[in-house]
Amino acid sequence: MKKRILALVLAGCMALSLAACGGDTSSASSASEETPTTSDATSEAATDENTGSTGTTDVAFVTDVGNIDDQSFNQYTWQGVQDFCSANGLNANYYRPTEDSDAARIEQVDNAVNDGAKAVVMAGYLFASTLEEVQSKYPDIAFLALDVSTDDMKSAAGASDDADVSEYVTSNTALITYKEEQAGYLAGYAAVADGYTDLGFLGGMAVPAVIRYGYGFVQGADAAANELGISDVNIKYWYSGTFEASDEIVTTMDGWYSTGTQVVFACGGQVGNSCAIAAETNGGKMIGVDVDQSNLGDFVVTSAMKALANSVNVALTDCMGNNWTWSEAYAGQQSVLGAAEDCVGLPMETSKFTNFTQEQYDALFSAIQSGELVVDDSFDQNVTPTVTAITVDYQG
C-alpha cells in the first residue's frame, strides 16, 4: 500500500523529463533553476485552458506533454522565456497542445504566430516532426528547440544519418542540446567524494543523451576514487529499455537497494518515478536528472542538471540582437551547451552532501568550464568508458 500511495504522489508531482531524455545556472557553480513565476501578461491571459495568450505575443512557448508546472522541462523552459521577456520589456505567452500529437503541437504554433510571436520556443525531441513542418511554413519566425538534435530532425524527415543537415534544419531554426556527460561526471564525482561506494546507474532507453549521462557518471566516480585512493567503489549499470515507470523497474531497484546499493542515478524520464518508490521504501538515495528534483524528498542527494532557463536566455539574446533572426552561431544548426556556457551542473544549494563541499564543486566545475578537464562524450552503447579504480557491472 505504501508503494501505491507514493506512486500516486510521485505521478502527480514528478513529470520527469521524458521528452528530454528521449531525444538524441543562477551561477555557474550551482546551475540552480528558481521556481518560475507567472508574468502579468500571462496571468491576465490564462482564461483559455490551452493557451496563455493575451492576443499579443513577442515570444511564445509551446509546451510538451504536461503543463508549465510540471517541475521539469516545461516549467524551467517557460521560466527562461518569462525571465528573458521580463528583462527586455516583451510579452511572453505559453501555448499548451490539447493532446500529445504533432497536429496539436502544430496547431499551437499556428496560434502563437497568429498572435504575433517573433520567436517560438519548444523543448523535447517530440517537437522534431513539428519543427520539420513549421520552420518552412513560417520562414520569418525564429524557432528555438531545446533537446532536439540534428539527428532527431533527420529521423523525423526519414533521412539517412549522413544526409546534409541543411536540408532538414532551416536557417530560422536553432537547436540546442547539452553536454550531459559533464553533468553526469559532476554527479558521479560528487557521490564518491561524499562517501558513497555502492552506486547504480538506471538508464531508460540507450539513446545518446542517456548514454552520455551514464558514461560521464562512471568517469566522475572513477576520477574521485582515484584521487581518494580507494578501490571499493562499485556501480551497477542497467538500461530498462523504456522511459515509462513500471513494476519491473521498482522490483529491480528494490533488489539493488536491498543488496547494498546506496545511491542510484535515475536517468530516463519516468523511470525515475520507479526508482524514487524503491529508494523511499528501502531507505536508499537517488540522484535526479535534467532539473533539480530535490522537491521529491530527502532521498534525493543531488541532480545532474541542464540549465534550461539560462539556455533560453543565451539563445534568445542572440536572436533579438540580430533583429529576430539567428546569428551564424545558431542558424540552422545544433549548438551543444555545457559548463562553458553555464548550462549544466549540480544544484548545490539544495544538494544533501555531507562531505563534498561547495569549494570542491567550484574547483571541479571550473576545470571542466575552462577545458582543463575534458569528459569523454562517447555515446556508443557498445563502447564502455575506461575505468582504473572502480568496478562497473553492466547488466542486461
Side-chain angles (χ1 to χ4, degrees):
M1 177 62 70
K2 181 178 180 182
K3 288 183 180 180
R4 180 174 296 178
I5 292 172
L6 182 60
L8 291 173
V9 172
L10 288 173
C13 72
M14 185 182 179
L16 288 170
S17 41
L18 169 62
C21 284
D24 162 20
T25 49
S26 59
S27 68
S29 62
S30 67
S32 174
E33 304 273 18
E34 297 179 0
T35 303
T37 55
T38 304
S39 67
D40 290 340
T42 303
S43 60
E44 292 172 0
T47 54
D48 185 320
E49 66 179 36
N50 294 319
T51 89
S53 175
T54 60
T56 303
T57 298
D58 294 307
V59 180
F61 172 53
V62 179
T63 71
D64 192 6
V65 180
N67 207 349
I68 56 170
D69 59 356
D70 67 356
Q71 304 273 344
S72 189
F73 256 55
N74 283 328
Q75 181 165 325
Y76 293 111
T77 304
W78 172 232
Q79 176 195 332
V81 172
Q82 287 182 292
D83 289 350
F84 171 80
C85 288
S86 178
N88 291 283
L90 302 172
N91 291 324
N93 285 308
Y94 70 91
Y95 296 76
R96 184 183 180 189
T98 55
E99 63 181 19
D100 180 13
S101 70
D102 291 334
R105 285 184 276 272
I106 292 169
E107 178 185 29
Q108 293 307 331
V109 173
D110 291 340
N111 289 337
V113 173
N114 289 337
D115 285 345
K118 303 176 181 68
V120 177
V121 181
M122 51 197 76
Y125 80 105
L126 291 175
F127 278 98
S129 295
T130 301
L131 271 173
E132 184 196 8
E133 177 166 334
V134 299
Q135 64 181 357
S136 299
K137 183 177 181 180
Y138 300 114
D140 296 327
I141 304 299
F143 292 99
L144 172 63
L146 308 185
D147 247 34
V148 177
S149 69
T150 53
D151 286 342
D152 292 326
M153 295 296 289
K154 291 177 184 178
S155 177
S160 62
D161 291 342
D162 58 357
D164 185 349
V165 68
S166 64
E167 295 182 27
Y168 305 101
V169 185
T170 58
S171 62
N172 60 320
T173 292
L175 308 177
I176 285 180
T177 57
Y178 298 89
K179 296 183 179 180
E180 292 91 355
E181 70 279 0
Q182 294 181 347
Y185 185 101
L186 290 165
Y189 186 101
V192 173
D194 203 51
Y196 296 102
T197 56
D198 285 293
L199 290 70
F201 175 77
L202 166 62
M205 297 178 69
V207 298
V210 175
I211 296 172
R212 285 193 294 266
Y213 266 131
Y215 284 12
F217 185 68
V218 169
Q219 293 174 69
D222 189 58
N226 268 303
E227 291 182 19
L228 293 170
I230 58 178
S231 57
D232 60 343
V233 174
N234 301 288
I235 300 178
K236 294 184 178 70
Y237 199 108
W238 178 56
Y239 295 111
S240 65
T242 179
F243 290 118
E244 301 295 334
S246 73
D247 291 340
E248 178 191 1
I249 297 171
V250 175
T251 299
T252 300
M253 293 301 101
D254 278 339
W256 283 14
Y257 284 120
S258 65
T259 56
T261 299
Q262 298 164 302
V263 59
V264 176
F265 179 19
C267 178
Q270 296 180 22
V271 300
N273 296 50
S274 300
C275 184
I277 293 169
E280 178 80 355
T281 301
N282 293 278
K285 302 295 184 182
M286 172 178 153
I287 295 171
V289 71
D290 285 341
V291 300
D292 183 358
Q293 293 179 339
S294 60
N295 62 294
L296 296 177
D298 288 341
F299 58 86
V300 178
V301 176
T302 191
S303 300
M305 290 175 51
K306 302 172 182 179
L308 304 169
N310 191 45
S311 307
V312 171
N313 183 67
V314 168
L316 289 181
T317 297
D318 171 275
C319 187
M320 184 180 68
N322 204 42
N323 195 27
W324 295 107
T325 60
W326 297 111
S327 70
E328 291 183 1
Y330 291 94
Q333 61 185 294
Q334 174 183 341
S335 300
V336 186
L337 307 183
E341 296 81 18
D342 297 341
C343 285
V344 298
L346 305 182
M348 291 299 288
E349 293 90 343
T350 58
S351 294
K352 301 173 182 68
F353 297 122
T354 56
N355 298 310
F356 184 63
T357 67
Q358 181 73 51
E359 182 179 8
Q360 287 176 293
Y361 176 78
D362 290 344
L364 186 63
F365 186 92
S366 295
I368 297 174
Q369 188 176 47
S370 67
E372 176 186 350
L373 171 58
V374 178
V375 184
D376 181 9
D377 64 353
S378 299
F379 58 88
D380 183 344
Q381 69 180 110
N382 297 312
V383 177
T384 57
T386 301
V387 296
T388 58
I390 68 174
T391 300
V392 184
D393 177 13
Y394 294 97
Q395 303 185 359

